[in-house]
């Protein structure tokens, strides 16, 4: 087995992938609350811009290569957007129009991010929909064509307050457009092990689409992909989350002392770790015992893909009670990069507790052993349930916490008008 997702059926993978995309998007709901507390609204805005600018070009190129998405036109840009954590399906309801190779538009019929931010006031809406979106939309598109520009037709603050679509944008390719200079820290993420890790090629057998080389579709329906393609997509989406985390840590280091940056990164990890585990458990209809916890841990994006994060998860029986052991190799690529697994330490096990308590609130993590090569923890049931971690409660503020995906039927190809 070269992937932990090999244990899942095609149908299970089709359910898992949109969950991974949504949870990747919610990383910021976990991290930005603590960033605001440390650096204020303007500091949060600067961190958000930098993390997405550093991560999105890298993961866009990776997904294009993995799914044989060729070309350099607006339709290629839109395909990439459909498969990234910045635009999880339905929660960020992008609708695309292709005019020709060099011209297109998109609108958002629903924006979960806006639903989260509007209650915070107009200043936060402007920060997200103006200051953050302008450079980050361009950063994603520039990974496909260096002469592309994404510009607003209209965007929030909404006038009237219930205006739909909530925003609309043009996408234009013009050789006269001068590409912007890459961000100063771009190479830190671009040269990370997450950016360079090689994953197994898609097994091109069995039913379903093995890539996305065909026409741009109005929606991605993941059950139309083959099992092999879904395994690779799931692993790439996990890497997107790690790359965004690396960008987040770089941006934090630019603005705060080392202790503050590390504390915020750990709080971000704890919050999204718990909410992601909760959604994975519900999506796959798992129970609340040790076997269910072991499965959630093996599938959690913090510990994937296998080629990047080296862990072992096992279920043990001791005196009639079942416990879960998780062993993390401390020399694996994710730890070397400084991504989520690097934030685990003997006195910092809160993210694992958050994952475990999403399965049963009585689970508790204790250290078994640690040395230079590995860290091993045991997760067992305590007599009484624990209160939810405040970091998870903060992340639950997002409307994405309880978001439900709908069956939209057969997607249609989007052809040139």
């Amino acid at each position: 087995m070269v992937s932990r997702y090999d244990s899942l059926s095609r149908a299970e993978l089709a359910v898992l992938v949109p969950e991974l995309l949504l949870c990747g998007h919610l990383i910021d709901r976990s991290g930005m609350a603590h960033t605001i507390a440390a650096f204020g609204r303007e500091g949060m805005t600067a961190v958000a811009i930098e993390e997405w600018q550093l991560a999105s070009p890298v993961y866009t190129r990776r997904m294009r290569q993995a799914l044989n998405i060729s070309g350099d036109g607006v339709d290629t840009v839109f395909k990439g957007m459909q498969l990234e954590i910045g635009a999880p399906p339905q929660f960020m309801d992008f609708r695309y129009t292709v005019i020709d190779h060099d011209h297109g538009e998109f609108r958002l019929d629903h924006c979960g991010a806006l639903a989260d931010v509007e209650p915070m006031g107009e200043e936060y809406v402007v920060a997200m929909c103006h200051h953050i979106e302008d450079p980050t939309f361009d950063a994603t598109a520039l990974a496909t064509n260096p002469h592309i520009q994404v510009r607003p037709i209209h965007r929030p603050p909404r006038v009237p307050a219930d205006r739909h679509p909530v925003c609309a944008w043009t996408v234009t390719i013009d050789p006269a457009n001068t590409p912007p200079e890459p961000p100063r820290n771009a190479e830190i993420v671009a040269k990370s092990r997450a950016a360079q890790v090689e994953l197994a090629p898609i097994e091109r057998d069995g039913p379903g689409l093995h890539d996305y080389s065909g026409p741009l579709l109005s929606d991605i329906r993941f059950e139309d992909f083959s099992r092999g393609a879904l395994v690779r997509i799931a692993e790439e989406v996990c890497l997107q989350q790690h790359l965004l985390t690396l960008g987040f840590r770089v941006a934090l280091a630019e603005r705060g002392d080392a202790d503050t940056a590390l504390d915020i990164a750990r709080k971000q990890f704890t919050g999204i770790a718990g909410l992601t585990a909760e959604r994975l458990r519900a999506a796959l209809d798992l129970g609340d015992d040790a076997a269910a916890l072991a499965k959630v841990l093996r599938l959690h994006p913090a510990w994937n893909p296998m080629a990047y994060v080296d862990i072992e998860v096992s279920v043990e029986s001791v005196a009639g009670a079942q416990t879960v052991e998780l062993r993390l190799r401390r020399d694996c690529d994710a730890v070397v990069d400084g991504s989520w697994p690097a934030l685990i330490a003997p006195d910092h096990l809160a993210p694992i507790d958050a994952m475990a308590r999403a399965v049963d609130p009585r689970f508790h993590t204790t250290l078994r052993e640690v040395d230079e090569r590995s860290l091993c923890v045991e997760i067992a049931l305590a007599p009484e349930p624990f209160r939810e971690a405040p970091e998870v409660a903060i992340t639950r503020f997002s409307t994405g916490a309880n978001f439900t995906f709908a069956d939209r039927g057969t997607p249609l190809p989007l052809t040139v008008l």
Side-chain angles (χ1 to χ4, degrees):
M1 183 171 70
V2 296
S3 170
R4 295 186 185 95
Y5 297 124
D6 280 337
S7 64
L8 298 181
S9 68
R10 183 185 175 199
E12 289 173 321
L13 286 162
V15 171
L16 177 78
V17 168
E19 290 291 340
L20 293 175
L21 286 165
L22 175 58
C23 291
H25 190 79
L26 298 181
I27 291 171
D28 268 1
R29 304 307 184 277
S30 179
M32 290 309 163
H34 307 292
T35 307
I36 292 169
F39 307 126
R41 176 174 48 80
E42 291 184 359
M44 176 277 296
T45 302
V47 168
I49 291 170
E50 184 166 14
E51 66 167 349
W52 288 99
Q53 280 187 315
L54 297 182
S56 66
V58 177
Y59 65 60
T60 296
R61 294 187 185 102
R62 284 193 60 96
M63 189 67 84
R64 285 188 56 195
Q65 182 178 25
L67 292 184
N68 193 26
I69 301 173
S70 60
D72 60 359
V74 295
D75 59 332
T76 305
V77 174
F78 294 160
K79 283 184 178 183
M81 292 171 70
Q82 288 178 320
L83 290 160
E84 68 142 295
I85 58 177
Q90 301 182 28
F91 185 70
M92 302 292 289
D93 195 12
F94 281 71
R95 304 287 89 195
Y96 302 102
T97 300
V98 179
I99 299 170
D100 56 35
H101 176 276
D102 295 337
H103 300 87
E105 297 179 0
F106 64 83
R107 68 180 191 273
L108 268 75
D109 283 354
H110 171 75
C111 179
L114 182 64
D116 293 347
V117 170
E118 274 186 325
M120 299 172 66
E122 187 170 302
E123 288 184 335
Y124 282 93
V125 172
V126 171
M128 182 181 74
C129 301
H130 294 244
H131 305 317
I132 295 173
E133 296 293 19
D134 284 355
T136 56
F137 272 149
D138 274 350
T140 300
L142 288 165
T144 296
N145 192 307
H147 301 291
I148 204 163
Q149 288 184 345
V150 183
R151 296 295 180 265
I153 300 170
H154 69 82
R155 56 182 165 179
R158 291 192 284 174
V159 180
D162 60 350
R163 181 175 186 175
H164 282 85
V166 298
C167 66
W169 301 73
T170 62
V171 182
T172 306
I173 298 171
D174 186 339
N177 292 338
T178 302
E181 290 294 322
R184 182 167 60 86
N185 293 316
E187 287 197 356
I188 297 176
V189 175
K191 292 185 176 180
S192 67
R193 297 194 179 192
Q196 307 298 325
V197 65
E198 293 187 11
L199 301 178
I202 293 171
E203 295 181 4
R204 305 183 71 86
D205 57 5
L209 300 171
H210 302 307
D211 58 33
Y212 196 7
S213 59
L216 170 70
L217 300 173
S218 57
D219 281 304
I220 290 286
R221 191 169 66 172
F222 291 102
E223 55 262 43
D224 292 337
F225 283 95
S226 68
R227 185 178 174 281
L230 288 168
V231 168
R232 181 60 183 270
I233 293 170
E235 294 204 309
E236 291 291 346
V237 174
C238 291
L239 281 175
Q240 290 183 15
Q241 298 192 27
H242 288 287
L243 287 162
L244 188 67
T245 296
L246 294 177
F248 183 59
R249 296 200 67 184
V250 170
L252 290 176
E254 289 280 292
R255 288 157 187 87
D257 61 80
D259 288 342
T260 298
L262 180 60
D263 180 61
I264 294 172
R266 281 182 166 143
K267 288 176 177 176
Q268 177 242 52
F269 184 17
T270 300
I272 194 60
L275 188 60
T276 297
E278 178 182 300
R279 288 196 62 95
L280 293 183
R281 174 179 174 254
L284 296 174
D285 195 24
L286 302 177
D288 60 0
D289 59 4
L293 172 58
K295 187 165 185 174
V296 167
L297 292 174
R298 292 187 187 106
L299 301 178
H300 200 289
W303 313 121
N304 283 285
M306 180 183 289
Y308 185 61
V309 189
D310 190 349
I311 63 160
E312 295 177 5
V313 178
S314 59
V315 178
E316 302 175 351
S317 293
V318 179
Q322 288 195 321
T323 63
V324 176
E325 181 186 273
L326 184 150
R327 183 177 297 274
L328 168 67
R329 291 281 302 189
R330 305 181 85 187
D331 58 354
C332 68
D333 286 349
V335 175
V336 173
D337 268 350
S339 189
W340 281 325
L343 301 174
I344 299 296
D347 55 346
H348 288 284
L349 303 176
I352 303 176
D353 269 335
M355 296 178 199
R357 291 169 190 170
V359 176
D360 188 315
R362 295 176 297 162
F363 275 125
H364 179 61
T365 305
T366 56
L367 181 70
R368 274 192 172 177
E369 59 185 32
V370 62
D371 58 31
E372 293 182 356
R373 293 180 297 176
S374 68
L375 179 147
C376 181
V377 299
E378 176 188 282
I379 309 169
L381 287 174
E384 299 293 333
F386 294 88
R387 294 182 63 181
E388 182 174 68
E391 295 89 347
V392 178
I394 288 172
T395 312
R396 199 181 298 285
F397 161 80
S398 172
T399 57
N402 297 310
F403 186 79
T404 302
F405 293 101
D407 183 354
R408 293 189 166 185
T410 303
L412 300 175
L414 298 180
T415 56
V416 175
L417 294 177

